[in-house]
Amino acid sequence: MANLSPETIAAQTVGGVDEGTGAIIPPLYPSTTYQRDKDLGYSHGRCYSRADNPTYDAAADMLTALEGGAQSLLFASGMAAATAVFQALKPGDHVIAPKVMYWALRS
């Protein structure tokens, strides 16, 4: 997808076809939990919808392609995204942030 324009990447994502069903609109998956294997593993690759709901896959894949990244993560709110970033920091890491920003992030 590297040679495609951002508009083409976005248009092709919206017009993608679900391989499992042939649907041209991405399906919504209302499930919150997924079946475990007999050994308590998750061979289907999904365990809980907050972490990895398949409904979000097309949007995350499109953002990854548009940004030329390796992977994208989607969050329900800006606060959830900011919390994830700060929780990923190691002791001694530094953050450069603007003076004007969401008030809850300044504490």
Side-chain angles (χ1 to χ4, degrees):
M1 285 193 171
N3 298 330
L4 301 177
S5 72
E7 295 84 359
T8 300
I9 292 170
Q12 287 185 352
T13 298
V14 173
V17 176
D18 180 59
E19 292 181 23
T21 64
I24 58 172
I25 301 295
L28 299 177
Y29 295 91
S31 181
T32 57
T33 56
Y34 300 89
Q35 183 178 20
R36 283 188 168 215
D37 303 326
K38 289 182 181 183
D39 66 358
L40 301 180
Y42 292 100
S43 62
H44 297 286
R46 312 243 181 222
C47 64
Y48 186 59
S49 68
R50 271 193 209 165
D52 52 11
N53 187 313
T55 299
Y56 310 131
D57 289 352
D61 292 346
M62 178 181 65
L63 289 172
T64 300
L66 286 171
E67 295 293 333
Q71 185 177 3
S72 294
L73 297 173
L74 301 180
F75 295 90
S77 69
M79 195 66 201
T83 299
V85 169
F86 282 99
Q87 287 181 339
L89 297 174
K90 296 181 179 98
D93 285 350
H94 294 80
V95 174
I96 298 173
K99 189 173 186 177
V100 177
M101 66 173 143
Y102 181 59
W103 66 269
L105 292 177
R106 294 188 291 167
S107 353

